[in-house]
Amino acid sequence: MTPAEIKRKRTDAILQELIPEAISQLNDARLHELDVIEVRCAKGRSDAKVYLDPQDYDDEERRLFLRQLAKARPIIEDYCMKEQGWFRCPKLAFVFDDQLQKSQTIEALFKKIEKEHGDES
C-alpha cells in the first residue's frame, strides 16, 4: 500500500467516526437515527462518499434524509475540520447503500432455490 493510500484509508476511518458525531449534534432529530456504514474518499481526498444504512426507509423518507443532509453538509464538514484541525474537509456526498439489501435478497433466492431442489430429490 502506498503512503497516499494509507492517508486516504486513515481519512476514511476518521470521517467514519466523526460524521455520526456531527450528525448526532444537528437540530434535526430525525437524522440522529441514520447509521453510517462506510466512508470512501476519492484519490485526492477532495471528495468523500458517505454510505448510509437504508434500513427500512421508503424512497420518500430517503429523499427527505438526503435533502436534510445536503443542507447540513457544510455544518458536518465544518465539525470534521475543527475536530481534526484540518485546513479543509473532503466534500461529502451522502448515499444510501443498497448492497447489503441486494446481497440479502440474493441469499434468500439461493435458499429458496436450494429448498425447491431439495424437495425434488
Side-chain angles (χ1 to χ4, degrees), residues 34-111:
L34 291 173
D35 291 322
V36 175
I37 298 174
E38 185 179 8
V39 178
R40 277 195 219 132
C41 287
K43 263 193 175 156
R45 292 184 297 157
S46 58
D47 298 303
K49 260 197 178 158
V50 181
Y51 294 91
L52 304 167
D53 184 354
Q55 295 180 19
D56 294 322
Y57 303 125
D58 62 33
D59 288 342
E60 185 55 38
E61 288 173 312
R62 288 181 186 193
R63 274 194 293 278
L64 178 70
F65 280 132
L66 293 176
R67 211 170 22 250
Q68 293 304 105
L69 286 167
K71 287 180 188 172
R73 183 181 56 78
I75 298 165
I76 296 167
E77 290 172 357
D78 194 49
Y79 178 89
C80 294
M81 280 193 318
K82 285 180 179 162
E83 281 297 305
Q84 285 300 303
W86 289 341
F87 176 67
R88 66 180 179 87
C89 178
K91 184 176 178 185
L92 304 175
F94 296 92
V95 293
F96 281 96
D97 186 6
D98 291 322
Q99 290 304 317
L100 181 63
Q101 261 182 328
K102 286 177 187 172
S103 62
Q104 287 172 339
T105 304
I106 291 169
E107 251 178 65
L109 284 172
F110 279 132
K111 284 180 183 174

Side-chain angles (χ1 to χ4, degrees), residues 23-39:
I23 290 173
S24 73
Q25 294 181 13
L26 295 172
N27 291 335
D28 191 341
R30 293 170 298 180
L31 296 175
H32 298 180
E33 63 192 60
L34 291 173
D35 291 322
V36 175
I37 298 174
E38 185 179 8
V39 178

Side-chain angles (χ1 to χ4, degrees), residues 4-17:
E5 287 174 316
I6 292 169
K7 277 185 180 179
R8 194 170 75 233
K9 294 261 186 229
R10 190 177 311 132
T11 303
D12 291 349
I14 290 168
L15 288 171
Q16 189 159 351
E17 214 174 284

